[in-house]
């Protein structure tokens, strides 16, 4: 069961992000998922102030520069629907809320998806916050993982 939820099962789509600034680097995890015959996708901005798009990625994908000069799969890469989505955390709370770069893309994306993917936030334990003062549009994550292990579990197992 847990393997299905965390992108270990072939046939699932595992989406991640391309690391920027001090975010945890997921490239090795992405390559491992690909090698295990799991479809890997990267989140990218195709339209400003709209939900993100999930485009298929492989270790051989020739990346192009996207929004804010972040490397992304090219426009001809297949669009997929994510089963398991990984989100970067600049900050997080024990209730599963995340603090990001403040553009609202990730929450806008989760609100638009049906069914909603299982969402895992990846960050550092020192980034835990007392609160982010969640707004009605903020959507809590299902799980938070840091270098110290699982920090937040919302009916996962």
């Amino acid at each position: 069961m847990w393997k299905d939820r965390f992108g270990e099962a072939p046939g699932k789509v595992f989406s991640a992000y391309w690391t920027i600034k001090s975010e945890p680097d997921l490239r090795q995890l992405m390559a491992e998922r690909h090698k295990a015959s799991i479809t890997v996708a990267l989140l990218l901005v195709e339209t400003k102030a709209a939900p993100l798009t999930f485009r298929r990625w492989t270790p051989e994908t020739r990346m192009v520069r996207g929004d804010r000069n972040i490397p992304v799969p090219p426009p001809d890469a297949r669009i997929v629907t994510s089963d398991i989505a990984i989100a970067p955390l600049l900050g997080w709370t024990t209730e599963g809320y995340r603090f990001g770069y403040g553009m609202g893309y990730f929450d806008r994306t989760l609100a638009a998806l049906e069914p909603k993917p299982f969402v895992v936030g990846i960050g550092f334990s020192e980034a835990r916050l007392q609160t982010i003062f969640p707004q009605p549009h903020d959507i809590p994550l299902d799980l938070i993982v840091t270098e110290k292990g699982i920090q937040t579990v919302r009916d996962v197992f």
Side-chain angles (χ1 to χ4, degrees):
M1 157 116 173
W2 70 270
K3 288 188 177 191
D4 290 345
R5 303 233 32 189
F6 298 110
E8 299 285 335
K12 293 284 186 183
V13 175
F14 174 87
S15 67
Y17 57 86
W18 196 264
T19 302
I20 61 171
K21 301 183 182 181
S22 62
E23 296 170 342
D25 189 345
L26 301 181
R27 288 178 290 183
Q28 181 178 344
L29 178 65
M30 291 161 43
E32 289 169 1
R33 295 294 173 271
H34 173 75
K35 188 175 180 181
S37 300
I38 295 161
T39 300
V40 178
L42 283 174
L43 293 161
L44 61 109
V45 174
E46 286 198 331
T47 305
K48 297 264 190 203
L52 298 165
T53 299
F54 299 89
R55 287 211 178 263
R56 183 153 188 203
W57 173 90
T58 71
E60 294 79 33
T61 298
R62 198 169 179 158
M63 305 290 272
V64 299
R65 295 290 172 178
D67 187 63
R68 295 198 279 169
N69 217 23
I70 298 170
V72 298
D76 63 346
R78 186 172 52 124
I79 294 175
V80 295
T81 301
S82 184
D83 298 301
I84 300 98
I86 305 298
L89 305 174
L90 293 182
W92 56 275
T93 69
T94 56
E95 294 81 28
Y97 290 103
R98 69 182 284 277
F99 179 74
Y101 286 107
M103 307 285 248
Y105 281 105
F106 201 79
D107 287 315
R108 195 169 16 258
T109 302
L110 291 180
L113 294 176
E114 190 56 47
K116 179 181 166 273
F118 186 81
V119 186
V120 179
I122 304 287
F124 297 105
S125 61
E126 310 83 52
R128 182 173 169 247
L129 304 169
Q130 199 66 27
T131 185
I132 65 159
F133 301 100
Q135 303 299 303
H137 63 270
D138 288 321
I139 297 174
L141 307 173
D142 296 303
L143 183 74
I144 293 175
V145 177
T146 72
E147 76 281 5
K148 293 185 178 178
I150 296 173
Q151 301 296 313
T152 298
V153 178
R154 293 172 27 84
D155 193 23
V156 175
F157 302 103

